[in-house]
Amino acid sequence: MAAGQSACPTGRSVRIFEKSEGHVRPSLAIGITPPSLEILRTLGLDVELIQQGVFIDRVMVHGQTGLLGVCDFSKLEGAYRFVLSIPQHVVMKVLHQNLLKYPGASISYGTEVKALTQDASQVTVTVSGAQDDVVTCRHMVACDGSRGRIREMLHIRSHGGSYGCHFIMADIPDTRAWTGRRTCFSPQMARWSRFLSLET
């Protein structure tokens, strides 16, 4: 959604197809990284999101034998020396509301690209949703992730791989009176054995 909005100020018409049924969805990442915050600043959205999130400027990773490592974001260059932890549904809501400011932009939820062809002048996209639709455009940006089908349709090879480990993500309200620190636990072998200490 952010990629589409980047073209809106130039006066281009933008249409976004979103597979999910709406902008309320569970988080798929721990937060927004500094390069992404730079992009959001060009849209005028960085301050609004920062006000609703939590700064993570230092991460300590612990295991069964003790401290495994420390990642200090406060030493980064640039305006944003932290990762912004914020529920993804909040980010999507802010992006959706901002999209409505542009008369040439629209988003269709519950739609999926089924086929596409391209030539030297345009791209033709077949989209399924409440009813099939065929759209032509000069440019198309695919943001469907590593498991998306657009790459397959274009016969582009994927060089990705697996980390060999798994993570659990959840958005849980923090009602404890902690200050300056957040700790996230992850279960391993049915016991709490590893945790990340997120200092804010």
Side-chain angles (χ1 to χ4, degrees), residues 28-140:
L28 301 177
I30 196 171
I32 304 176
T33 62
S36 296
L37 286 169
E38 293 283 359
I39 295 172
L40 291 167
R41 178 168 62 177
T42 66
L43 300 176
L45 301 177
D46 57 328
V47 174
E48 181 177 357
L49 290 170
I50 288 172
Q51 290 174 344
Q52 301 185 62
V54 175
F55 291 14
I56 299 175
D57 57 15
R58 192 164 182 259
V59 178
M60 302 174 65
V61 182
H62 295 262
Q64 293 178 343
T65 59
L67 182 65
L68 298 178
V70 177
C71 185
D72 192 347
F73 301 118
S74 66
K75 297 179 181 180
L76 293 174
E77 297 181 357
Y80 309 103
R81 301 180 182 183
F82 54 86
V83 171
L84 181 66
S85 181
I86 182 171
Q88 188 163 345
H89 69 86
V90 175
V91 179
M92 298 298 288
K93 180 179 179 180
V94 170
L95 287 171
H96 178 86
Q97 291 175 339
N98 190 65
L99 184 73
L100 300 179
K101 297 191 309 184
Y102 301 102
S106 65
I107 182 168
S108 300
Y109 290 102
T111 58
E112 183 178 5
V113 174
K114 289 297 186 180
L116 65 88
T117 58
Q118 60 180 340
D119 55 32
S121 61
Q122 66 180 20
V123 182
T124 302
V125 185
T126 302
V127 182
S128 68
Q131 59 183 13
D132 288 354
D133 192 9
V134 177
V135 179
T136 58
C137 55
R138 291 191 62 187
H139 306 284
M140 174 182 175

Side-chain angles (χ1 to χ4, degrees), residues 151-195:
R151 184 187 292 109
E152 179 183 339
M153 295 177 189
L154 296 175
H155 306 291
I156 299 175
R157 293 181 59 188
S158 174
H159 301 283
S162 174
Y163 284 112
C165 52
H166 301 278
F167 299 89
I168 298 174
M169 291 289 303
D171 295 325
I172 303 172
D174 185 1
T175 58
R176 292 167 290 193
W178 293 357
T179 58
R181 176 171 294 192
R182 298 291 184 272
T183 303
C184 302
F185 296 88
S186 63
Q188 181 185 34
M189 299 300 290
R191 62 183 182 273
W192 301 98
S193 59
R194 290 180 181 270
F195 63 90

